[in-house]
Amino acid sequence: MTSAVDRVDLVPAPRAVDGPGPCRVGIDERTTVWAAPGTEGTERWLRATLGAAFGLPLRPGPPDARDSVRLCPDDTMEPEAYRLSVLAGRGVEIRGGGPAGVFWGAQTLRQLLGRDAFRRAPVRPGATCGIPHQIIEDAPRFRWRGLMLDVARHFMPKDGVLRYLDLMAAHKLNVFHFHLTDDQGWRIEIERYPRLTEVGSWRVRTKSGHRASPLWDEKPHGGFYTQDDIREIVAYAAERHITVVPEIDLPGHSQAAIAAYPELGNTDVVDTTALSVWDTWGINPHVLAPTDGTLRFYEGVFEEVLELFPSEFLHVGGDECLKDQWRRSPTAQARIRELGLADEDQLQSWFIRHFDTWLSARGRRLIGWDEILEGGLADGAAVSSWRGYAGGIAAARAGHDVVMCPEQQVYLDHRQDGGADEPVPIGYVRTLEDVYRFEPVPAELTPEEAAHVLGAQANLWTEVMEDPARVDYQAFPRLAAFAEVAWSALPAPAERDFAGFERRMGAHYERLDALGVGYRPPTGPRPWQRRPGVLGRPIDGPPPNR
C-alpha cells in the first residue's frame, strides 16, 4: 500500500491506496447495482445522485455481474471503515464495516468519478465515465466529525439545511449540531408552547455587521421549522449517516424565549413584559430565572425535542450566562440559600445538573459549552470545548467526554485573510492552512485522557452571515480542510503536507463548483462576495493556542 495523497485527489485523504493502475472500469448504461441487506440506503443514494448526474438507470443486478457496483457489509471491519475495490473485469465493490462504512465508500466512489458526478443532471448525455483500477482502504480517526450551524441568528430555510447535510456527507462529516435557539430567535415548533414561535421566531430588525456597526437592516427577519420539518431533516440526515444534535440554550442566550413567555425571566429585577426578540449581537444580560416554573417549562420543551431527535446527546448551551440579574434577584438569592450553594456559578451548575439528571433518566446525555465546568461539572455531561483547549483538557482529565471546537482554531465565522476586501472581518485570521494544521487532541493529555476526546467540530455562527451565500463563503474551502483533520490519520500539525492538500483541492474546487458552493477562491473574494462599509471586529496577531 502507498500513501493515498500521492496518488489520488480525494478529500478527505484515505488511509491507503493500492494503485491507480492503467486499466479502467466503466460506469455506463450497462452498470447494475447489487446491495446486500443493510445497504439499501446507500443503494438509493447512488441511484438518486450518480443516476441523475450521468443519466444512468443503475438497475438492480446479480452480485456476479461483470459491470456492477456491489455493496457489502463486512463485520471484520470497524463500523465506519470501508474498502473500495475497482477491479477490471469485476466492477466496483464497496465493503463496509457497517451501513455507514458502505456509505462513506460510496462518497469516495463519487469523487473518483470526477466533477460531473456532483451535478444534478448530465451535462454530456450519453458519455461514459471510467475509474482506474485501484483498491482504497479507509477509516475515520474520530467518531464525532461535526459541523455546528447557527440558524437562530440568521434563519436558514429547510432546503438550505438539507443542502448542508448533503455537503457534510460529501466530506464524511457525521454530526450536525443544530443551534436552534438564542436571544435573536427561537426556530423549533413546540406545540405546548406556541408563543415560542409566534413571538420568538422573528425580530423587527437586525444589526448589520458587528454590534458596533451603525448600520441596520430594517426588514423583519424570522422563520422556524415545524415539527414535520424537523422530522424530515432528521430522517434526511439519518439516510446519510449523520446524527443531528439539537441545541436548546439555557440558562443564558434566552431572550427570545423570555420575550414569548415573560415569566421565564427574572421578573423581580426586570420588566420582562417589555422585552422583544433581540435585534443585535453580543452577550445578553437576560437569563432564565432559577425557578421551579422555569424547570417545568423546559422539561416540557425537552419532552417534545426528545421525540423529534433520537440522538444520544442533547446540547443545552450553558455558555455566556451573565449572572448580574441573579445577583440582584431576591428569588435567585433565596434559591442559592435554599440549595446551600456558594454563589451564582454554583447556581448555574445546579441548573445544568438538573437537566443532566433529567436527560439521563430518559437514556440521553447532556452536552454543553465549556462554561458548564463553572461551579462543578454535571455528572455524565460532555463538554464542547470552545474557549480554547483548557476546558476540554480539564474535562478529559476529570473523565468526561469532550468535543474539541476551540474558537481560535475552527470558528469558521472568523476571517480567512487579513486583506481589506475580506467581508465583515470577524476575529483572528484563520486561513485554509491554519485549519488544516488544527490538532484536536492536546499533547498534554495521557492516552487514557485522550480517549475522552470524541472528536472535533467546526462552528458557523451566523451573526454576520445574512444569507446562505455568506454561509458558503465562510464555510468553504476551510470545511474541507477541517473534514480531513477529523477523518484522516494525519501526522503532527507541523509535518502535514499542506502543499499536497492544496494540490488535491484543485480537483475539489471543481466538485464544489458543480455543487454550486459559493466558496472563497484562493485568490480572494469575488466582487459580489465583498461587503464594503460593513463594520466587523478583526483581531490582529496570531490566536492564543491554549
Side-chain angles (χ1 to χ4, degrees):
M1 293 287 185
T2 56
S3 171
V5 295
D6 294 333
R7 296 184 177 274
V8 291
D9 290 326
L10 298 175
V11 176
R15 291 198 173 185
V17 173
D18 184 3
C23 300
R24 299 179 75 83
V25 171
I27 303 292
D28 55 31
E29 68 280 354
R30 299 170 299 176
T31 301
T32 59
V33 177
W34 178 80
T39 67
E40 296 87 354
T42 299
E43 179 187 20
R44 287 192 295 273
W45 181 86
L46 281 171
R47 289 203 177 92
T49 53
L50 300 187
F54 295 113
L56 299 175
L58 298 178
R59 300 180 184 90
D64 57 353
R66 179 181 178 88
D67 299 301
S68 68
V69 177
R70 297 179 299 284
L71 308 176
C72 311
D74 186 338
D75 60 10
T76 67
M77 305 166 69
E78 292 297 314
E80 290 192 281
Y82 69 88
R83 181 184 301 110
L84 172 61
S85 302
V86 183
L87 302 175
R90 295 182 57 192
V92 177
E93 180 180 86
I94 302 173
R95 304 187 74 84
V102 174
F103 182 73
W104 302 133
Q107 295 295 330
T108 297
L109 173 63
R110 188 187 193 189
Q111 290 198 18
L112 292 174
L113 288 168
R115 62 184 179 185
D116 287 349
F118 292 81
R119 298 193 176 276
R120 296 188 183 183
V123 294
R124 282 171 282 278
T128 60
C129 49
I131 313 169
H133 173 112
Q134 59 195 294
I135 299 174
I136 297 173
E137 294 187 358
D138 202 6
R141 179 184 179 192
F142 293 111
R143 58 172 275 203
W144 186 301
R145 306 181 300 280
L147 173 68
M148 192 284 306
L149 178 63
D150 167 22
V151 297
R153 274 52 177 271
H154 279 99
F155 179 67
M156 181 177 284
K158 180 186 68 178
D159 284 353
V161 174
L162 299 179
R163 173 176 174 264
Y164 258 80
L165 291 170
D166 279 330
L167 291 172
M168 289 179 63
H171 292 83
K172 300 185 175 73
L173 299 173
N174 70 338
V175 178
F176 180 55
H177 177 166
F178 206 7
H179 184 80
L180 288 163
T181 74
D182 217 298
D183 300 300
Q184 297 85 359
W186 184 285
R187 305 295 179 211
I188 178 173
E189 178 189 27
I190 302 298
E191 292 177 349
R192 74 186 72 183
Y193 303 129
R195 287 176 60 83
L196 286 172
T197 47
E198 291 171 358
V199 173
S201 70
W202 68 280
R203 55 183 182 263
V204 296
R205 66 174 186 170
T206 300
K207 175 67 71 172
S208 181
H210 183 254
R211 61 180 176 271
S213 168
L215 304 177
W216 292 89
D217 181 350
E218 298 292 345
K219 180 176 66 178
H221 178 86
F224 67 92
Y225 309 103
T226 68
Q227 293 203 358
D228 277 347
D229 290 335
I230 294 293
R231 291 184 182 97
E232 181 182 357
I233 288 167
V234 170
Y236 195 85
E239 280 275 302
R240 287 147 184 80
H241 299 277
I242 295 171
T243 299
V244 184
V245 175
E247 180 178 351
I248 307 294
D249 262 305
L250 59 82
H253 286 290
S254 297
Q255 183 166 327
I258 297 170
Y261 291 92
E263 65 271 22
L264 296 174
N266 295 282
T267 58
D268 52 353
V269 294
V270 177
D271 179 10
T272 57
T273 63
L275 293 179
S276 59
V277 178
W278 211 25
D279 56 12
T280 189
W281 321 122
I283 302 178
N284 190 292
H286 298 290
V287 300
L288 297 174
T291 65
D292 290 343
T294 299
L295 299 181
R296 301 293 88 76
F297 183 96
Y298 273 85
E299 287 171 2
V301 169
F302 289 148
E303 283 175 2
E304 295 192 25
V305 168
L306 293 186
E307 290 179 0
L308 296 167
F309 296 92
S311 54
E312 174 186 3
F313 289 98
L314 189 146
H315 206 293
V316 300
D319 63 315
E320 297 179 330
C321 178
L322 298 182
K323 301 176 178 66
D324 291 344
Q325 291 182 1
W326 287 352
R327 293 186 183 97
R328 294 187 289 122
S329 164
T331 301
Q333 292 302 310
R335 176 122 274 184
I336 289 174
R337 290 191 298 273
E338 171 198 339
L339 297 169
L341 304 177
D343 55 21
E344 291 76 18
D345 282 346
Q346 288 196 358
L347 184 62
Q348 178 176 345
S349 178
W350 164 82
F351 220 115
I352 298 298
R353 284 175 182 272
H354 174 86
F355 287 102
D356 178 56
T357 301
W358 190 90
L359 289 167
S360 295
R362 288 153 181 82
R364 306 296 187 94
R365 295 182 65 189
L366 180 146
I367 185 169
W369 303 108
D370 56 52
E371 283 94 334
I372 68 173
L373 291 161
E374 297 169 3
L377 185 61
D379 295 337
V383 168
S384 300
S385 186
W386 76 275
R387 295 179 301 177
Y389 289 96
I393 292 170
R397 285 177 172 166
H400 293 271
D401 289 338
V402 177
V403 175
M404 285 294 185
C405 50
E407 174 186 15
Q408 304 89 341
Q409 312 298 326
V410 288
Y411 269 35
L412 301 186
D413 49 308
H414 282 216
R415 56 191 173 137
Q416 303 186 62
D417 189 85
D421 57 356
E422 203 63 29
V424 201
I426 298 295
Y428 296 101
V429 172
R430 294 285 83 194
T431 65
L432 182 67
E433 182 171 1
D434 290 330
V435 174
Y436 191 68
R437 297 193 189 281
F438 163 59
E439 173 49 50
V441 180
E444 53 264 54
L445 293 181
T446 67
E448 293 77 15
E449 294 163 348
H452 286 289
V453 179
L454 301 178
Q457 182 171 288
N459 293 342
L460 280 167
W461 298 104
T462 62
E463 287 94 334
V464 299
M465 301 182 210
E466 72 279 6
D467 56 38
R470 281 285 289 127
V471 176
D472 275 9
Y473 180 89
Q474 292 299 132
F476 289 98
R478 292 182 297 179
L479 191 61
F482 170 81
E484 183 148 314
V485 169
W487 176 276
S488 304
L490 298 177
E495 299 169 8
R496 292 176 188 171
D497 181 10
F498 179 68
F501 175 75
E502 278 193 306
R503 180 188 61 77
R504 287 181 285 118
M505 280 300 297
H508 201 63
Y509 285 124
E510 295 183 352
R511 300 176 192 128
L512 296 178
D513 286 332
L515 287 167
V517 176
Y519 59 85
R520 181 190 189 277
T523 54
R526 296 182 172 96
W528 57 87
Q529 293 174 322
R530 299 168 187 161
R531 297 292 186 273
V534 181
L535 183 68
R537 186 183 64 92
I539 303 175
D540 293 330
N545 189 24
R546 62 178 188 275

